């Protein structure tokens, strides 16, 4: 499923949302982050596996994740943001968001920012951090020319549907699958 | 087939070729087992084999008796029938006026019919005793047994209703459709984690109490025992470090109740087959999807960020509450030795505890409880559900919130204390039946206090009612036996009596 929002970052973006004893620091990811991003990305893919047998994670997903992340970091059309915890988790990457800008040859707006992955460790969820990540990546995608932001996630992931729906996203295209 | 009601005392087992073949296949010969529940001497670990044989013997005898009695409960009129003319009152035309009254005031269904004292025992047969998913038909004997317990211990009319459903939503819809006939719903033998969603869903939809014994009954009995164990060892629930082994229906609710009692979430650690449950365990996202109840506890508990196995978790802990696998090697003596001074060990797996009580005590456990009646301190659902239902039914309550469950646990603990608290007497035995009406009355009071009672009785009235109704069934059973309306138990079939 992919969902869409208006791609504009809201004014007054805070640097780090405060929860009860909780805040994060968001920054662009670097090559040195890849070893800690890989397990987070794999957690997300394993979560996706829960929703559909056609999302079964490959045995070499580990190596694939490393290559994809390095490629993204070298690609001007891709954005990877790393979320660092503070306090006891200071300097520790506790979540990330990954997106690319794609061209839309037939539609306007002509460029679409696609959120491919968004993941936070469980203790950082449901405190508004996800919303902050979404706002920041949207702003970054807009800065790269995207006029619309979409998100891809398993159709059965109702938690993600709700998360995006609350932020003004609606389904625009659907991907249906069957095995061959 | 012989109707058992016409048989007086003769050994007459209703047999069929199918049943004969089934009995012949089971390996153990019939053995006289004596009275159920009699106290046996404390067995050593080596006698596990003997107890298994004994269990088999109970099983064989139960099949024979089931073939003889063909069911454990029946409906019995509760009004006089002097002549057929009386049916003009009990049935048409008189009954129409009763129906009109209820139509005008639906809550009158609680006072003009037996609804106030009738509960449905509903199961999908997805986790029956230790037998697993054996389906609704095979669950029926267990539900009948539960109905007998409900009547005998609680004075409650309980109707066994195993249902064939294919999803939790269908389960909920079915029970919701049945609810108009009942004053309460008792869910039974439903697999975890779907049992959590079913209980939550039904509690939300229905305005009668809904209970799942494997969650609430076991948890309430555990908490009651723990409160007394803490009292005996001069500790409070706010300060102890507790490890729960097993994260199924019972322990997830025990954890929830402990947190409600003020247990520090950071000093609570759950352990399952995959080790310590914590917020960054590999399967935590899977839990978010499949078992949100466990996921929430994974996020809240285990503050020290412990990971690893049971041994790690128990190091320095005050309390172990094990409700996991029936294997006496699950909790090693060394683990108990690593616990804080005067450790409390509840090994509740049935039929075999996670550590034998004498082994736990030799390893330093100050207080040990199990799920079995042949050791001291039996943590048993039957200490709780008859009294809770008596209380909520007498109050015509609309629900059973956790506050009520905790009141039952506290009163069970207090009742034991009034009768003398010792390390071997944390909880009442089933014989100390005076305690149970007191628990029922405390539950009734709580329902009134929480504003969920349709009938607001005083404490004395609740207590009176509970004593009368809970004592009545034993009299009924005796009277039926004296009148030979219940045939006496047939003698044990002899080994040679089997078809060869
Ligand atoms: C999706 C995710 C990044 C959102 O981050 P977040 O910090 O939790 O989001 P916010 O606090 O801004 O918003 C939370 C909202 O998300 C939804 N949500 C998140 N976790 C949820 C859960 N376990 N159960 C139900 N809803 C949930 C709810 O709508 C929630 O709103 P609420 O708390 O008011 O009910 C984070 O939950 C996550 O990492 N989830 C696992 C990975 C995932 O599903 N990614 C999306 C698919 S690519």
């Amino acid at each position: 499923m992919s969902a869409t929002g208006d791609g504009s970052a809201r004014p007054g973006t805070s640097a780090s949302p405060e929860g009860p004893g909780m805040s994060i620091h968001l920054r662009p990811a670097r090559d040195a982050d890849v070893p800690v991003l890989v397990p987070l990305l794999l957690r997300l893919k394993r979560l996706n596996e829960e929703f559909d047998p056609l999302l079964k994670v490959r045995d070499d997903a580990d190596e694939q994740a490393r290559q994809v992340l390095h490629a993204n970091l070298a690609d001007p059309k891709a954005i990877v943001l790393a979320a660092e915890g503070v306090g006891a988790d200071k300097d520790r990457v506790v979540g990330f968001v990954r997106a690319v800008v794609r061209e839309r040859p037939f539609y306007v707006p002509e460029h679409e920012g696609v959120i491919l992955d968004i993941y936070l460790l469980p203790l950082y969820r449901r405190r508004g951090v996800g919303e902050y990540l979404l706002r920041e990546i949207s702003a970054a995608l807009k800065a790269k020319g995207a006029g619309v932001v979409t998100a891809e996630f398993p159709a059965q992931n109702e938690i993600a549907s709700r998360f995006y729906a609350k932020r003004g996203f609606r389904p625009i295209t659907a991907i249906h699958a069957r095995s061959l | 087939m012989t109707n058992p009601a016409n048989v007086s005392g003769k050994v007459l087992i209703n047999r069929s070729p199918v049943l004969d073949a089934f009995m012949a296949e089971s390996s153990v010969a019939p053995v006289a087992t004596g009275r159920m529940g009699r106290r046996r001497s404390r067995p050593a670990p080596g006698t596990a084999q003997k107890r298994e044989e004994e269990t088999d013997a109970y099983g064989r005898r139960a099949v024979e008796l089931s073939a003889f009695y063909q069911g454990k409960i029946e409906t019995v009129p509760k009004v006089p029938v002097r002549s057929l003319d009386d049916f003009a009152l009990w049935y048409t035309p008189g009954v129409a006026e009763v129906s009109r009254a209820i139509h005008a005031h639906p809550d009158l269904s609680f006072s003009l019919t037996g609804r106030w004292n009738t509960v449905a025992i509903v199961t999908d047969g997805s986790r029956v005793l230790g037998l697993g998913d054996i389906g609704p038909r095979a669950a029926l004997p267990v539900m009948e047994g539960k109905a007998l317990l409900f009547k005998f211990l609680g004075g409650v009319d309980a109707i066994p209703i195993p249902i064939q459903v294919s999803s939790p939503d269908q389960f909920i819809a079915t029970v919701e459709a049945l609810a108009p006939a009942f004053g309460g719903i008792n869910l039974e033998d439903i697999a975890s984690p779907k049992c959590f969603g079913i209980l939550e869903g039904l509690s939300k939809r229905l305005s009668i109490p809904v209970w799942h014994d494997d969650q609430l009954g076991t948890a309430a009995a555990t908490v009651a025992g723990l409160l007394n164990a803490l009292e005996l060892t001069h500790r409070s629930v706010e300060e102890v470090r507790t490890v729960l082994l097993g994260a199924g229906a019972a322990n997830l609710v025990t954890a929830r109740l402990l947190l409600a009692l003020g247990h520090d979430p950071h000093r609570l650690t759950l352990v399952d087959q995959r080790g310590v449950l914590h917020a960054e365990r590999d399967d935590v996202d899977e839990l978010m999807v499949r078992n949100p109840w466990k996921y929430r506890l994974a996020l809240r508990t285990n503050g020290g960020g412990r990971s690893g196995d049971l041994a790690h978790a128990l190091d320095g802990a005050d309390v172990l509450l094990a409700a996991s696998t029936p294997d006496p090697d699950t909790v090693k003596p060394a683990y108990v030795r690593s616990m804080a001074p005067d450790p409390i060990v509840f090994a509740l797996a049935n039929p075999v505890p996670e550590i034998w009580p004498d082994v736990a005590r030799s390893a330093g456990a100050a207080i040990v409880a199990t799920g079995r009646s042949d050791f001291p301190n039996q943590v048993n659902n039957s200490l709780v559900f008859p009294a809770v239902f008596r209380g909520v039914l007498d109050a015509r309550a609309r629900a059973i919130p956790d506050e009520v469950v905790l009141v039952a646990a506290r009163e069970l603990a207090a009742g034991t204390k009034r009768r003398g608290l010792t390390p071997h007497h944390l909880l009442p035995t089933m014989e100390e039946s005076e305690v149970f009406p007191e628990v029922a009355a405390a539950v009734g009071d709580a329902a009134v206090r929480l504003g969920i009672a349709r009938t607001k009785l005083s404490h004395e009235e609740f207590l009176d009612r509970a004593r009368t109704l809970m004592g009545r069934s034993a009299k009924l059973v005796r009277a039926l036996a004296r009148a030979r309306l219940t045939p006496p138990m047939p003698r044990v079939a002899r080994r040679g009596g089997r078809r060869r």
Side-chain angles (χ1 to χ4, degrees):
Chain A
M1 173 165 305
S2 85
T4 182
D6 66 7
S8 65
R10 275 182 230 166
T13 297
S14 68
S16 49
E18 296 294 327
M22 172 76 55
S23 55
I24 58 129
H25 170 64
L26 200 58
R27 58 163 175 81
R30 312 177 274 261
D31 277 321
D33 295 322
V34 170
V36 290
L37 288 175
V38 167
L40 294 177
L41 190 145
L42 290 180
R43 275 177 180 259
L44 177 59
K45 301 306 167 191
R46 294 226 166 78
L47 168 61
N48 290 348
E49 192 172 79
E50 290 298 312
F51 298 106
D52 201 295
L54 281 176
L55 297 172
K56 188 165 166 42
V57 173
R58 288 162 55 155
D59 287 342
D60 64 344
D62 202 293
E63 180 51 35
Q64 295 290 339
R66 204 182 344 268
Q67 287 176 18
V68 165
L69 284 166
H70 280 301
N72 285 158
L73 292 176
D75 179 356
K77 293 205 171 314
I79 307 168
V80 183
L81 300 179
E84 281 179 355
V86 294
D89 275 340
K90 187 159 157 43
D91 299 334
R92 178 175 173 228
V93 177
V94 297
F96 76 104
V97 53
R98 186 173 73 94
V100 293
V101 177
R102 274 186 204 148
E103 199 184 330
R104 306 166 88 219
F106 307 114
Y107 304 116
V108 286
E110 283 164 24
H111 294 278
E112 166 185 3
V114 187
I115 299 173
L116 299 167
D117 302 320
I118 178 165
Y119 186 89
L120 283 168
L121 284 174
L123 285 176
Y124 287 83
R125 293 175 195 163
R126 305 199 86 163
R127 299 162 186 273
V129 177
E131 164 145 32
Y132 173 58
L133 259 55
L134 192 55
R135 224 157 45 210
E136 293 298 308
I137 194 89
S138 300
L141 288 165
K142 193 176 182 190
K144 284 191 186 285
V148 56
V149 56
T150 61
E152 292 183 0
F153 55 87
Q156 302 300 321
N157 186 349
E158 287 167 22
I159 294 172
S161 305
R162 231 174 305 142
F163 170 74
Y164 285 114
K166 275 192 186 168
R167 268 110 209 147
F169 286 65
R170 62 175 186 274
I172 55 160
T173 56
I175 298 178
H176 291 214
R178 77 177 169 84
S179 307
L180 295 173
Chain B
M1 288 282 172
T2 310
N3 180 349
N6 296 331
V7 182
S8 30
K10 268 202 275 162
V11 180
L12 221 174
I13 309 287
N14 294 295
R15 283 258 169 115
S16 71
V18 178
L19 184 58
D20 276 348
F22 175 80
M23 300 280 276
E25 263 171 38
S26 72
S27 55
V28 180
V31 179
T33 51
R35 288 173 304 280
M36 297 285 258
R38 92 199 130 100
R39 199 159 278 273
R40 272 152 283 158
S41 57
R42 191 150 57 84
T47 59
Q49 154 92 24
K50 179 156 171 291
R51 260 192 310 274
E52 238 164 67
E53 284 168 14
E54 234 171 50
T55 307
D56 286 344
Y58 275 121
R60 173 164 283 275
R61 180 77 172 135
V63 173
E64 288 175 352
L65 290 177
S66 295
F68 179 72
Y69 287 102
Q70 302 189 337
K72 298 185 266 289
I73 53 160
E74 66 177 296
T75 57
V76 174
K78 59 193 270 190
V79 295
V81 182
R82 297 159 302 180
S83 78
L84 287 179
D85 291 345
D86 282 346
F87 282 98
L89 301 167
W90 306 136
Y91 200 51
T92 60
V95 74
E97 196 55 25
V98 184
S99 288
R100 293 216 319 217
I102 296 175
H103 183 61
H105 306 282
D107 272 359
L108 283 178
S109 63
F110 287 91
S111 41
L112 300 183
T113 72
R115 182 180 185 189
W116 65 276
N117 198 38
T118 308
V119 308
I121 302 179
V122 195
T123 187
D124 61 356
S126 58
R127 189 187 190 278
V128 179
L129 306 174
L131 304 174
D133 187 354
I134 58 172
R137 279 165 210 83
L140 185 53
V142 185
M143 303 308 121
E144 282 190 334
K146 187 80 175 200
L148 182 61
L149 277 171
F150 257 109
K151 183 70 174 183
F152 191 79
L153 300 174
V156 175
D157 294 311
I159 315 292
I161 309 183
I163 55 176
Q164 178 80 56
V165 290
S166 50
S167 72
D169 285 344
Q170 199 189 354
F171 192 115
I172 290 173
T174 305
V175 176
E176 192 176 7
L178 290 169
F182 296 101
I185 303 291
N186 177 78
L187 304 172
E188 197 76 29
D189 289 355
I190 304 168
S192 167
K194 72 175 155 183
C195 63
F196 298 110
I198 288 174
L199 177 61
E200 271 182 18
L202 282 170
S203 302
K204 221 175 285 163
R205 280 181 175 72
L206 302 183
S207 59
I208 52 174
V210 187
W211 177 267
H212 179 214
D213 219 23
D214 304 306
Q215 293 178 55
L216 299 162
T218 309
T222 304
V223 167
L226 178 62
L227 288 175
N228 276 345
L230 291 174
E231 163 118 13
L232 275 169
T233 54
H234 312 290
R235 281 174 283 197
S236 77
V237 75
E238 290 91 358
E239 66 189 15
V240 286
R241 208 165 76 68
T242 302
V243 173
L244 291 104
L245 175 64
N251 260 355
L252 290 190
V253 176
T254 300
R256 189 178 82 214
L257 294 181
L258 288 178
L259 293 172
L261 280 173
H263 196 298
D264 180 353
H266 295 316
R267 299 173 69 77
L268 198 68
T269 300
L270 281 102
V271 180
D272 63 10
Q273 290 109 311
R274 301 173 83 144
V276 168
L277 182 68
H278 61 88
E280 293 186 13
R281 206 167 78 169
D282 278 348
D283 62 335
V284 73
D285 288 323
E286 178 190 331
L287 289 175
M288 176 176 75
V289 176
R290 300 202 182 281
N291 190 342
W293 301 273
K294 191 164 164 181
Y295 172 76
R296 261 175 255 147
L297 284 167
L299 266 52
R300 262 192 96 182
T301 59
N302 192 45
R306 281 176 199 245
S307 54
D309 57 8
L310 178 63
H312 272 86
L314 277 178
D315 190 10
D318 299 284
V319 180
L320 167 63
L321 304 176
S324 60
T325 29
D327 173 354
D329 281 334
T330 311
V331 178
K332 309 236 187 296
Y335 302 174
V336 177
R337 279 194 289 273
S338 79
M339 292 175 72
D342 288 338
I344 295 166
V345 174
F346 283 24
L348 304 180
N350 268 332
V352 181
E354 290 87 345
I355 180 169
W356 291 109
D358 44 358
V359 177
R361 246 179 255 108
S362 320
I367 295 178
V368 182
T370 70
R372 292 166 51 129
S373 59
D374 51 348
F375 296 114
N377 300 330
Q378 187 193 16
V379 175
N380 178 358
N381 300 357
S382 298
L383 299 172
V384 178
F385 78 84
V388 167
F389 268 95
R390 190 68 273 143
V392 291
L393 291 175
D394 288 344
R396 321 267 208 267
R398 295 172 197 280
I400 313 183
D402 278 358
E403 290 95 319
V404 169
V405 182
L406 285 172
V407 164
R410 280 209 190 88
E411 184 57 31
L412 197 60
T416 317
K417 222 167 109 186
R418 286 195 290 275
R419 282 156 192 86
L421 190 55
T422 74
H424 293 283
H425 188 245
L426 287 186
L427 286 165
T429 63
M430 290 310 296
E431 282 76 39
E432 291 172 273
S433 54
E434 332 80 72
V435 184
F436 307 123
E438 292 166 4
V439 175
V443 165
D445 293 344
V448 172
R449 203 168 51 242
L450 292 166
I452 52 171
R454 290 183 176 85
T455 303
K456 296 174 183 64
L457 304 182
S458 69
H459 181 77
E460 282 64 39
E461 287 167 327
F462 276 127
L463 191 58
D464 240 37
R465 260 187 96 85
R467 283 193 178 130
T468 308
L469 289 169
M470 295 175 98
R472 182 172 176 273
S473 298
K475 289 185 204 157
L476 205 61
V477 166
R478 272 198 302 275
L480 288 170
R482 257 200 313 277
R484 297 244 146 194
L485 288 167
T486 304
M489 279 222 193
R491 284 191 305 278
V492 176
R494 298 267 298 284
R495 185 184 199 128
R498 260 169 64 200
R499 251 175 26 147
R500 272 157 195 279

